[in-house]
């Protein structure tokens, strides 16, 4: 999973077997580093569909996102486009709509412990 480098520590115990890599689109080194990572099998793009092209270039075998992003060329790389919910939903519920198949295992707090946490000074 690619995401903001500041969230990487949350995934250090690999909850749900997720491998997390920090990515900052404003950092050229962060972009170049992507090409040393394993090729993804599956890419879910929950936000701006322009990031689907990044997954496509990295060789993802199956790409899923929500439809309706503009301009339309942002969507050309996807294998599957799902409709956005018609009414307001919580972000986790929206993300879950991108995943199909067997439900994830129940939340386990020990999977989300951050060992190198340092509180901010008061």
């Amino acid at each position: 999973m690619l995401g903001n480098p500041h969230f990487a520590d949350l995934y250090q115990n690999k909850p749900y077997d997720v491998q997390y890599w920090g990515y900052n689109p404003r950092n050229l080194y962060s972009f170049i580093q992507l090409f040393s990572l394993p090729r993804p099998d599956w890419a879910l793009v929950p936000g701006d569909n322009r990031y689907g092209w990044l997954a496509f270039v990295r060789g993802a075998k199956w790409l899923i996102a929500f439809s309706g992003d503009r301009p339309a060329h942002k969507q050309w790389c996807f294998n599957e486009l799902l409709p956005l919910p018609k009414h307001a939903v919580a972000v986790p519920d929206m993300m879950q709509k991108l995943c199909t198949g067997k439900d994830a295992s129940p939340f386990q707090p020990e999977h989300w412990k951050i060992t190198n946490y340092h509180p901010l000074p008061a």
Side-chain angles (χ1 to χ4, degrees):
M1 179 167 125
L2 289 181
N4 188 312
H6 298 292
F7 297 126
D9 289 342
L10 288 173
Y11 293 89
Q12 67 188 11
N13 294 328
K14 297 184 183 173
Y16 303 108
D17 293 322
V18 169
Q19 183 82 32
Y20 189 93
W21 292 283
Y23 172 66
N24 180 349
R26 295 184 178 116
N27 182 316
L28 180 61
Y29 177 74
S30 180
F31 175 76
I32 293 169
Q33 188 177 14
L34 292 178
F35 292 88
S36 67
L37 300 176
R39 179 179 155 198
D41 291 325
W42 187 39
L44 305 175
V45 181
D48 192 332
N49 285 359
R50 68 182 166 161
Y51 292 113
W53 286 105
L54 182 58
F56 180 81
V57 168
R58 283 290 298 120
K61 296 175 187 170
W62 195 259
L63 289 90
I64 303 173
F66 290 111
S67 62
D69 204 353
R70 290 189 170 86
H73 68 266
K74 289 183 181 182
Q75 303 182 128
W76 293 346
C77 62
F78 290 98
N79 301 96
E80 190 173 346
L81 289 165
L82 304 173
L84 279 166
K86 300 273 186 220
H87 58 282
V89 295
V91 171
D93 294 334
M94 191 169 116
M95 303 304 170
Q96 185 272 334
K97 291 185 181 305
L98 291 173
C99 302
T100 57
K102 189 178 127 182
D103 288 340
S105 59
F107 172 77
Q108 297 178 11
E110 62 273 7
H111 288 173
W112 295 90
K113 288 188 179 174
I114 301 174
T115 57
N116 57 355
Y117 166 73
H118 304 287
L120 296 172

